[in-house]
Amino acid sequence: MTAQFVLANTRLAPVPLTPEVRLHLADEAIELWERTESEQGEQMPPPFWAFAWAGGQALARYVLDHPALVHGSDVLDLAAGSGLVAIAAMHAGAARVTAVEIDALAVTAIGINADANAVAVTPLLGDVLEQEPDADVVLAGDVFYSREMTRRMLAYLRRAAGRGARVLVGDPGRAYLPKDHLTLLAEYDVPVPQTLEDAPIKRTTVWAVNP
């Protein structure tokens, strides 16, 4: 699917917790998902790329407020969605940012959003969780939403931390958050669309992953 689809189904707007960043965002998740599948003629993943999720907002805010974390570094944004965290890392002075997604439409959206913020982000389509991490900083927003994803993601993040990377995650209280392997860094009250969450404000945490 094309950039034209992203642009036709979203509007450019500032992100509530990080107004320094503007994204192409949608208003209704279910309608957009149905439109995506109708256009493609097959089952498609949910349009995570069209929303600023709470975990990503909190992580992006933390990066923007602590630019030394990423300044001059090679950064990897996992399950990047809209590219919010990747864009925040570039604004904070990262040397390079790669934004990884398994959804081809998300990869398209990341490129569009990076252009809208006048930063260079490298979108990467694929599943990297079985590979060996080699970035200086690894960031992941809102990734602990299922048992299997948590198992795979945590293994990758801990390998990255074990190799000396700074590894941070943002999470709005998902059921599978592996707190025993994390160190709390910050908490935020994040405005979110009520079509996505059970409340208009989500208490959201940022954690460092222990090796």
Side-chain angles (χ1 to χ4, degrees):
M1 299 181 75
T2 65
Q4 184 177 359
F5 181 87
V6 174
L7 295 171
N9 288 280
T10 59
R11 55 186 175 80
L12 188 63
V15 176
L17 197 67
T18 59
E20 304 95 320
V21 177
R22 298 191 304 161
L23 298 176
H24 288 271
L25 301 172
D27 295 316
E28 294 290 338
I30 299 302
E31 290 180 10
L32 178 56
W33 193 1
E34 291 173 347
R35 199 173 304 126
T36 303
E37 293 191 328
S38 175
E39 183 102 354
Q40 195 71 356
E42 61 179 325
Q43 286 190 335
M44 296 288 291
F48 296 128
W49 54 269
F51 301 93
W53 295 83
Q57 287 196 57
L59 186 54
R61 181 73 269 157
Y62 188 86
V63 168
L64 288 168
D65 290 343
H66 301 84
L69 172 73
V70 299
H71 185 78
S73 297
D74 188 353
V75 177
L76 180 65
D77 178 15
L78 284 172
S82 64
L84 168 58
V85 175
I87 292 165
M90 286 302 297
H91 277 315
R96 291 170 299 279
V97 179
T98 301
V100 178
E101 257 293 344
I102 60 171
D103 180 354
L105 195 51
V107 167
T108 299
I110 290 165
I112 292 171
N113 286 327
D115 288 346
N117 289 273
V119 296
V121 170
T122 302
L124 176 64
L125 178 64
D127 183 339
V128 302
L129 295 184
E130 305 306 320
Q131 300 177 14
E132 287 305 312
D134 60 0
D136 303 317
V137 180
V138 179
L139 306 171
D142 216 334
V143 292
F144 300 124
Y145 51 82
S146 74
R147 190 184 305 276
E148 177 60 15
M149 176 56 74
T150 296
R151 181 190 68 79
R152 297 188 67 225
M153 185 65 68
L154 182 62
Y156 181 91
L157 296 174
R158 294 193 71 197
R159 287 202 309 275
R163 292 168 65 96
R166 289 158 287 178
V167 183
L168 273 65
V169 298
D171 187 89
R174 301 300 182 207
Y176 297 99
L177 178 67
K179 291 183 180 180
D180 290 348
H181 301 285
L182 310 174
T183 299
L184 181 63
L185 298 178
E187 298 183 61
Y188 302 92
D189 289 323
V190 183
V192 291
Q194 286 191 263
T195 55
L196 300 180
E197 301 285 3
D198 55 3
I201 304 291
K202 293 289 289 187
R203 189 66 171 172
T204 305
T205 46
V206 175
W207 307 76
V209 176
N210 305 326

